[in-house]
């Protein structure tokens, strides 16, 4: 788990920073939308194939296939040749700290970036992380077998739909549309707290994650447009660290808070 987390932390900023170097600016938003949608489709297809492999073969066999897919992915990354940006930078801890300070200065120079990143920190800690923990509990206790699968499917369809919609939207104030989109994610928390019928919850999940899909595409595109290529990796690294800094704490605290505060809808008091 630690190795997977470290790998993700290294990969995501580099991945976000590489897209503008691979795709011309007029197609940047469409490329981000395609990347977001295909990620969700890959997760869904992968989960289905994983389940089939476990059922038909064994968990060990499924994990070996999973490991092989990482090797294939690594091979495709090795074949990519990105243009060099900036000059040669020295190695070592001092150079790393200098680049980190450059990233912080770049973010602070654009207040809208810093405010949005801090907003993301709050949302991950107090909205998304608790819902990831509590959603399967609520689904099982309130609706029974199979309900969680329906809610996750609604989430997947919503995210793909939102990413596709964002690629086609032509609006003057993309930031305003993005912030309205992420606000829809409050529907998940509302349905966790208030007993509603399963179809209503599934619809809320679809709308919430449609909004998340729109936000992600507009947000990623805005940051890629806002900074030159030599600062992209540093800004995205800071964005990842800050946005998800409190996620482990929130994931660990959510069950304890639920037990202390109580969720009457699922009988936790």
């Amino acid at each position: 788990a630690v190795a997977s987390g470290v790998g993700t932390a290294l990969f995501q900023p580099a991945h976000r920073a590489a897209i503008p170097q691979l795709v011309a600016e007029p197609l940047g938003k469409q490329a981000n939308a395609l990347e977001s949608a295909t990620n969700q489709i890959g997760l869904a297809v992968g989960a289905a194939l994983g389940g089939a492999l476990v059922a038909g073969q064994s968990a060990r066999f499924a994990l070996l296939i999973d490991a092989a897919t990482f090797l294939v992915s690594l091979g495709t990354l090795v074949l990519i040749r990105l243009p060099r940006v900036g000059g040669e930078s020295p190695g070592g801890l001092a150079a790393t700290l200098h680049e980190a300070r450059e990233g912080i200065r770049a973010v602070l120079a654009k207040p809208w970036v810093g405010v949005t990143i801090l907003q993301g920190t709050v949302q991950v800690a107090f909205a998304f992380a608790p819902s990831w923990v509590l959603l399967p509990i609520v689904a099982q206790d309130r609706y029974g077998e199979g309900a969680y699968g329906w809610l996750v499917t609604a989430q997947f369809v919503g995210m793909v739909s939102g990413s596709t919609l964002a690629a086609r939207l032509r609006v003057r104030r993309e930031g305003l549309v993005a912030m309205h989109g992420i606000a829809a994610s409050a529907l998940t928390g509302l349905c966790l707290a208030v007993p509603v019928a399963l179809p209503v919850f599934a619809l809320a999940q679809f709308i919430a994650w449609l909004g998340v899909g729109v936000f992600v595409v507009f947000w990623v595109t805005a940051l890629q447009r806002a900074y030159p290529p030599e600062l992209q990796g540093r800004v995205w690294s800071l964005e990842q660290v800050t946005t998800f800094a409190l996620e482990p704490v929130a994931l660990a605290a959510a069950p304890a808070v639920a037990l202390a505060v109580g969720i009457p809808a699922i009988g936790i008091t």
Side-chain angles (χ1 to χ4, degrees):
V2 172
S4 177
V6 171
T8 301
L10 293 172
F11 173 78
Q12 284 293 354
H15 173 66
R16 298 289 194 204
I19 290 178
Q21 300 177 45
L22 297 172
V23 181
E25 161 57 27
L27 296 176
K29 186 171 72 171
Q30 287 78 3
N32 290 320
L34 179 63
E35 186 263 348
S36 177
T38 52
N39 274 348
Q40 294 301 310
I41 293 171
L43 286 171
V45 174
L49 290 176
L53 288 173
V54 171
Q57 298 292 326
S58 67
R60 180 184 179 87
F61 181 78
L63 290 172
L64 288 173
I65 295 297
D66 185 37
T69 64
F70 279 91
L71 293 176
V72 172
S73 177
L74 180 61
T76 61
L77 292 175
V78 170
L79 295 175
I80 295 175
R81 294 291 181 267
L82 295 175
R84 183 178 296 278
V85 295
E88 291 287 343
S89 58
L93 179 60
T96 301
L97 293 176
H98 173 71
E99 292 181 357
R101 288 193 295 270
E102 282 189 337
I104 293 172
R105 284 196 294 267
V107 169
L108 293 179
K110 297 181 185 295
W112 65 270
V113 174
V115 169
T116 306
I117 290 176
L118 289 177
Q119 170 202 277
T121 305
V122 173
Q123 285 180 320
V124 168
F126 293 98
F128 288 108
S131 71
W132 293 330
V133 173
L134 297 176
L135 186 63
I137 301 173
V138 172
Q140 176 66 31
D141 286 14
R142 190 189 295 172
Y143 307 112
E145 298 290 340
Y148 182 62
W150 284 109
L151 295 176
V152 172
T153 299
Q155 172 182 322
F156 151 72
V157 175
M159 187 75 175
V160 173
S161 300
S163 301
T164 305
L165 176 63
R168 296 179 175 273
L169 281 178
R170 299 290 183 270
V171 295
R172 288 191 303 171
R173 303 181 67 180
E174 291 184 346
L176 183 63
V177 175
M179 299 314 296
H180 278 83
I182 199 67
S185 61
L187 290 172
T188 297
L190 181 63
C191 289
L192 285 170
V194 179
V196 296
L198 179 58
V200 174
F201 202 156
L203 177 61
Q205 276 283 90
F206 170 80
I207 296 172
W209 286 91
L210 184 146
V212 172
V214 170
F215 171 81
V216 167
V217 172
F218 281 154
W219 168 242
V220 172
T221 303
L223 239 62
Q224 290 169 345
R225 290 173 178 170
Y227 295 102
E230 61 269 19
L231 287 177
Q232 289 275 329
R234 297 160 200 179
V235 170
W236 280 114
S237 295
L238 183 62
E239 191 266 353
Q240 289 283 301
V241 169
T242 308
T243 299
F244 297 100
L246 297 179
E247 182 184 17
V249 177
L251 289 171
V257 172
L259 288 172
V261 175
I263 307 177
I266 60 173
I268 299 178
T269 57

